Amino acid sequence: MEKEFCGKPIEIKTETESIDFPNEMQKEIKEGSYTCDICKKLFTQKSHLTDHKRIHTGENLYRCDMCSKSFSTSGALNTHKRIHAGDTPYHCNICGTSFTQKCHLTGHKRIHTGETSYHCDICGKTFSTNDTLNTHKCIYTGEKPYDCDICGKAFSTSSTLSTHKRIHTGEKPYHCDICGKSFTESGTLNTHKRIHTGEKPYHCSICGKSFSHRRSLTYHRNIHTGERPYHCEICGKSFPDRSKLKRHIYVHTGEKPYCCNICGKSFSQNDDLNKHIRIHTGEKPYHCDICGKSCSQSSDLIKHKRVHTGEKPYNCDICGKSFSESSALHIHRRIHTGETPYHCDICGKSFSDGSTLIHHKRVHTGEKPFHCDICGKSFSKSSDLTKHKRVHTGEKPYHCDICGKCCSRSSALLIHMRIHTGEKPYQCDICGQSFSRNTSLNLHKRTHTSEKPYHCVLCGESFSQRRNLSQHKYIHRAEKLFLCDICGESFSRNFQLTRHKHLHTQE
């Protein structure tokens, strides 16, 4: 807005912005200006100074009668009310996006024009708005003038303080009209809605990959550039984004500020707390659009989908083997390095991954925490219970795409596929004979070693295979289970009956 001061035109900015007057007017203006005694900001009207001081005192006189949110000025309240009314009177004439405030439209238009009028005189970085520049400068000055009166934490902007206070109050004023989920910030709500719409508006100009979050694109670009601009001042480790550095610092401090209000468990990251809470609620908001399976974490859904696509993006640079998860590749590499960092404190046995150690310890404790709700049988591993349940359900989810055979286990499908491919990856180091299964190799090796680990408790005879011992036990039984339907003669073993029937066919 333009006005005249002493016969010269000047631009009067909004009540919360400082005013840049021509140099020759500075002295004359100063005599008639109002200065904030806290931050020294200048105002031309006393009412503007009064409104401004409420930023420092936290006084909010103007309350919204729809959501009870409070504001320091009537103008801020009126602007806020447009959120409830859905009123967005300021429209971009280039892309059609609408805004509740004119200043937001002005800032938005700079995206199209590429204008970055505000320059940081410390690092040279440019910004499209003065507010963004001032916030940026706080990185160098360390200034955080806005303090939380509950926990004492300080912030560089009043909006960040307002958002922070919702952690204490539990207020989540922004609601998703599709699933009803609530959020503390409007930006988080907008990002969340992209889960429902599938919108990914941020595109990498190098590889073309798209993202639903701007920050995800920023982090992704660092993969191409190798840039890690955030450094830990304790250990010197570098990170591609500020949030990862913040999480890392908790390793040094041991701080776990995020607490579960159900069981009291604490976490160093808010994401980990949210994932943990789903254990209590049973919520699984991420659904596979192929088979309908639900997951409690988006990362678990991404991993699951690779079962359908067969994608294995993580490759071993030593043997070339591929994996669907980076953690599986990390564990696999220990086969080559021989690293076994997880040790059993009972027997001293070492393992390449922590989960195998946990399962191993149950050998000593006898613990079987996973129970079948159909037959009551217990298992030491959840994966064993899942496989067992398929005995009851008859489910065979793994299909051979060559002959159509179905298997209840992925390992069984892998072994079956070797019938088609002729692959025999297990080789005897004594005679060179190859086998499609590891168990077949182990049985074969006993022909060289003469090992017979299976013993009959009745007569002491030993066998190299368990099934041979089972067949032998029929000798000690009085009953003969296998009956010839031609002559009525009985046999203790099935192969004896088969051999006997050949005599009738020869006749």
Side-chain angles (χ1 to χ4, degrees), residues 91-338:
H91 307 283
C92 175
N93 57 8
I94 299 172
C95 68
T97 307
S98 300
F99 300 89
T100 56
Q101 299 181 47
K102 187 176 181 179
C103 60
H104 291 168
L105 172 60
T106 303
H108 165 79
K109 281 188 173 180
R110 294 185 181 125
I111 296 172
H112 300 298
T113 62
E115 181 188 359
T116 52
S117 306
Y118 302 94
H119 303 274
C120 175
D121 51 10
I122 300 171
C123 68
K125 197 170 183 180
T126 56
F127 300 88
S128 57
T129 65
N130 190 43
D131 286 343
T132 313
L133 172 60
N134 290 335
T135 302
H136 164 77
K137 282 187 173 179
C138 292
I139 296 171
Y140 300 105
T141 63
E143 184 186 3
K144 293 183 177 181
Y146 304 99
D147 303 304
C148 176
D149 53 7
I150 300 172
C151 68
K153 195 170 182 180
F155 299 89
S156 56
T157 64
S158 59
S159 60
T160 311
L161 172 60
S162 298
T163 302
H164 163 79
K165 281 189 172 180
R166 291 177 187 144
I167 295 173
H168 302 297
T169 63
E171 182 191 8
K172 292 184 176 182
Y174 303 99
H175 309 286
C176 176
D177 53 7
I178 300 171
C179 68
K181 196 170 183 180
S182 300
F183 301 89
T184 56
E185 300 179 52
S186 60
T188 310
L189 171 60
N190 291 334
T191 302
H192 162 80
K193 282 186 172 181
R194 292 177 186 140
I195 294 173
H196 302 297
T197 63
E199 183 188 6
K200 293 183 177 181
Y202 304 102
H203 310 286
C204 176
S205 58
I206 300 171
C207 68
K209 193 171 183 180
S210 299
F211 301 88
S212 56
H213 300 60
R214 180 184 276 111
R215 69 173 181 271
S216 297
L217 173 59
T218 303
Y219 303 157
H220 166 78
R221 280 177 177 163
N222 291 336
I223 296 172
H224 297 298
T225 63
E227 186 182 2
R228 289 174 171 258
Y230 302 96
H231 308 283
C232 174
E233 57 186 21
I234 300 172
C235 68
K237 194 171 182 181
S238 299
F239 299 88
D241 60 87
R242 185 182 285 107
S243 62
K244 284 188 172 61
L245 170 60
K246 186 179 178 181
R247 293 171 190 169
H248 165 78
I249 287 174
Y250 290 140
V251 174
H252 299 296
T253 63
E255 186 184 358
K256 293 183 176 182
Y258 304 100
C259 186
C260 175
N261 55 12
I262 299 172
C263 68
K265 193 172 182 179
S266 297
F267 299 87
S268 59
Q269 299 177 36
N270 189 39
D271 286 347
D272 290 338
L273 171 60
N274 291 333
K275 292 170 187 175
H276 165 79
I277 286 175
R278 290 179 188 140
I279 295 172
H280 299 298
T281 63
E283 183 189 8
K284 293 183 177 182
Y286 304 99
H287 309 286
C288 176
D289 53 7
I290 299 171
C291 69
K293 185 175 180 178
S294 299
C295 303
S296 59
Q297 300 178 38
S298 59
S299 57
D300 289 341
L301 176 59
I302 291 168
K303 293 171 187 174
H304 163 76
K305 281 191 171 181
R306 291 177 185 145
V307 174
H308 301 296
T309 63
E311 183 189 6
K312 294 183 177 181
Y314 303 100
N315 304 306
C316 176
D317 52 7
I318 299 172
C319 68
K321 193 171 183 180
S322 300
F323 299 88
S324 58
E325 299 181 33
S326 59
S327 57
L329 171 60
H330 187 64
I331 292 168
H332 163 79
R333 280 180 173 161
R334 291 179 182 144
I335 296 172
H336 301 296
T337 63

Side-chain angles (χ1 to χ4, degrees), residues 297-482:
Q297 300 178 38
S298 59
S299 57
D300 289 341
L301 176 59
I302 291 168
K303 293 171 187 174
H304 163 76
K305 281 191 171 181
R306 291 177 185 145
V307 174
H308 301 296
T309 63
E311 183 189 6
K312 294 183 177 181
Y314 303 100
N315 304 306
C316 176
D317 52 7
I318 299 172
C319 68
K321 193 171 183 180
S322 300
F323 299 88
S324 58
E325 299 181 33
S326 59
S327 57
L329 171 60
H330 187 64
I331 292 168
H332 163 79
R333 280 180 173 161
R334 291 179 182 144
I335 296 172
H336 301 296
T337 63
E339 183 187 5
T340 53
Y342 302 96
H343 308 285
C344 176
D345 52 9
I346 300 171
C347 67
K349 195 170 182 179
S350 298
F351 301 89
S352 59
D353 65 281
S355 59
T356 307
L357 172 60
I358 292 169
H359 298 150
H360 163 78
K361 280 189 171 181
R362 290 176 184 147
V363 174
H364 301 297
T365 63
E367 183 189 9
K368 293 184 177 182
F370 305 100
H371 309 286
C372 176
D373 53 7
I374 299 171
C375 68
K377 194 171 182 180
S378 299
F379 300 87
S380 59
K381 299 180 186 179
S382 61
S383 58
D384 288 343
L385 173 59
T386 302
K387 294 168 187 173
H388 163 78
K389 280 188 172 181
R390 292 178 185 142
V391 174
H392 301 297
T393 63
E395 183 190 8
K396 293 183 177 183
Y398 303 99
H399 308 281
C400 174
D401 54 9
I402 298 172
C403 69
K405 184 175 181 178
C406 299
C407 303
S408 59
R409 302 186 183 191
S410 58
S411 57
L413 176 60
L414 183 66
I415 292 168
H416 164 78
M417 292 291 283
R418 290 175 185 147
I419 296 172
H420 301 296
T421 62
E423 183 188 7
K424 294 183 177 182
Y426 304 101
Q427 189 172 41
C428 176
D429 53 8
I430 299 170
C431 69
Q433 191 172 344
S434 297
F435 301 87
S436 60
R437 303 186 188 193
N438 190 37
T439 52
S440 300
L441 173 60
N442 291 333
L443 292 173
H444 164 78
K445 280 187 173 181
R446 290 174 188 152
T447 60
H448 298 297
T449 62
S450 299
E451 182 188 4
K452 295 182 177 182
Y454 304 101
H455 311 286
C456 177
V457 294
L458 296 173
C459 68
E461 190 173 348
S462 298
F463 300 89
S464 60
Q465 298 182 39
R466 183 183 280 110
R467 71 168 181 266
N468 291 342
L469 172 60
S470 299
Q471 291 172 354
H472 163 79
K473 284 181 178 179
Y474 288 120
I475 295 173
H476 300 294
R477 288 184 180 181
E479 58 180 327
K480 294 183 177 182
L481 302 177
F482 303 98

Side-chain angles (χ1 to χ4, degrees), residues 10-62:
I10 61 170
E11 184 181 347
I12 303 299
K13 297 189 178 180
T14 61
E15 58 197 58
T16 55
E17 291 183 302
S18 59
I19 304 170
D20 298 323
F21 294 99
N23 290 332
E24 64 266 20
M25 299 181 192
Q26 293 296 329
K27 185 177 178 181
E28 193 172 352
I29 291 171
K30 196 169 184 180
E31 290 173 358
S33 65
Y34 300 91
T35 308
C36 175
D37 53 7
I38 299 171
C39 68
K40 309 305 178 188
K41 205 168 187 179
L42 289 172
F43 298 88
T44 57
Q45 296 182 37
K46 189 175 182 179
S47 60
H48 292 174
L49 173 60
T50 303
D51 289 341
H52 164 79
K53 279 191 172 181
R54 293 185 189 127
I55 294 173
H56 300 296
T57 63
E59 185 183 8
N60 292 321
L61 299 178
Y62 304 94

